[in-house]
Amino acid sequence: KKINEIPLPQSLVAEAALIGSMILDPTKIAHILEIVNANDISDHDMRVWFTAIESVWRNTPAADISKIDAVAIRNWLDSSGLKLDTQDEVGQLIKIIESVPSAENYEYYAGIVKSKSLERDLYREVERISEIIYNSGLTLEDKQSAFEQAALQLQTKPSYTRPIKDILLECNALWEKGIDYGLPTGFKALDDMLGGLHKGEMIVVAG
């Protein structure tokens, strides 16, 4: 098969479970947004639900985050102008919620969704390389040069990049909500600088 005939990697089960987790436990939304964004969702309807949940979360005061529910999400969706492919909005939402074995597994679901998103990016890069190879308007030398450049770009492509402006806006929003991702050290000044302790970090305190 040609590359463009191969179905792109996706996991609709993981996408539905992730979105269901966000609905069942809105306090997990902030952590999920550290891993996944709407562009990582492959299915159109799942991406619309994800966008709706994120938008409701961003416009909800910190004290009311736990009160976010399916009604608030549907109300936002109805007023947003975004359209679902399904004609049974309520039925689809119920299925999404029922698909979640446990909201506590949100990191596992998010990891699958992100991995599939990165795999799709790789497939697209490979397809672009194949187009270079089959381009009859290029000489062999041109193809070799273009292929080497594309392969190098693919090899050195970071697994996850985002515009710094988006990151700063998210950090500011989370700061205003009073959300602290990390494990508190017990020293407020230090927590304000580090945002708490995080997995995978090595903190050296020296005098």
Side-chain angles (χ1 to χ4, degrees):
K1 286 186 177 182
K2 294 181 179 179
I3 293 295
N4 56 13
E5 295 177 350
I6 300 174
L8 291 175
Q10 62 178 356
S11 176
L12 300 182
V13 172
E15 291 181 2
L18 179 65
I19 292 165
S21 298
M22 298 167 80
I23 298 172
L24 291 176
D25 189 351
T27 63
K28 301 290 192 295
I29 296 175
H31 302 280
I32 289 172
L33 292 177
E34 285 191 300
I35 307 169
V36 176
N37 60 61
N39 292 329
D40 293 319
I41 309 297
S42 63
D43 181 78
H44 170 75
D45 281 6
M46 296 300 106
R47 187 164 54 250
V48 170
W49 285 118
F50 187 98
T51 300
I53 295 169
E54 180 180 358
S55 298
V56 171
W57 175 81
R58 292 191 182 281
N59 290 282
T60 300
D64 297 328
I65 291 295
S66 61
K67 298 178 183 178
I68 295 176
D69 58 15
V71 175
I73 295 166
R74 286 192 62 208
N75 286 340
W76 184 93
L77 187 59
D78 291 341
S79 63
S80 69
L82 295 179
K83 300 296 182 182
L84 296 166
D85 287 339
T86 182
Q87 299 299 315
D88 185 10
E89 177 182 310
V90 175
Q92 185 180 65
L93 188 58
I94 291 174
K95 287 182 179 179
I96 289 173
I97 295 173
E98 290 180 344
S99 73
V100 187
S102 172
E104 292 301 317
N105 295 327
Y106 72 94
E107 285 186 314
Y108 175 70
Y109 309 141
I112 294 176
V113 172
K114 190 65 184 181
S115 294
K116 295 299 180 182
S117 175
L118 294 174
E119 287 180 22
R120 291 194 297 274
D121 288 343
L122 291 176
Y123 269 66
R124 295 185 185 102
E125 287 292 338
V126 171
E127 183 176 2
R128 189 169 70 87
I129 292 174
S130 69
E131 290 174 353
I132 294 173
I133 296 174
Y134 289 103
N135 188 337
S136 60
L138 296 175
T139 66
L140 177 59
E141 291 74 16
D142 289 339
K143 290 180 181 180
Q144 288 176 328
S145 177
F147 176 82
E148 289 172 0
Q149 292 178 13
L152 179 61
Q153 181 179 354
L154 182 61
Q155 182 179 7
T156 59
K157 184 176 181 180
S159 61
Y160 182 39
T161 59
R162 296 171 61 199
I164 187 64
K165 178 181 177 182
D166 292 348
I167 295 175
L168 291 175
L169 288 174
E170 278 193 17
C171 289
N172 184 63
L174 294 171
W175 187 268
E176 290 178 352
K177 289 177 182 289
I179 294 175
D180 179 7
Y181 287 145
L183 178 69
T185 64
F187 299 93
K188 186 177 184 305
L190 185 59
D191 287 335
D192 288 344
M193 289 188 289
L194 301 177
L197 302 178
H198 304 258
K199 291 181 180 179
E201 291 182 339
M202 181 178 72
I203 306 297
V204 178
V205 180

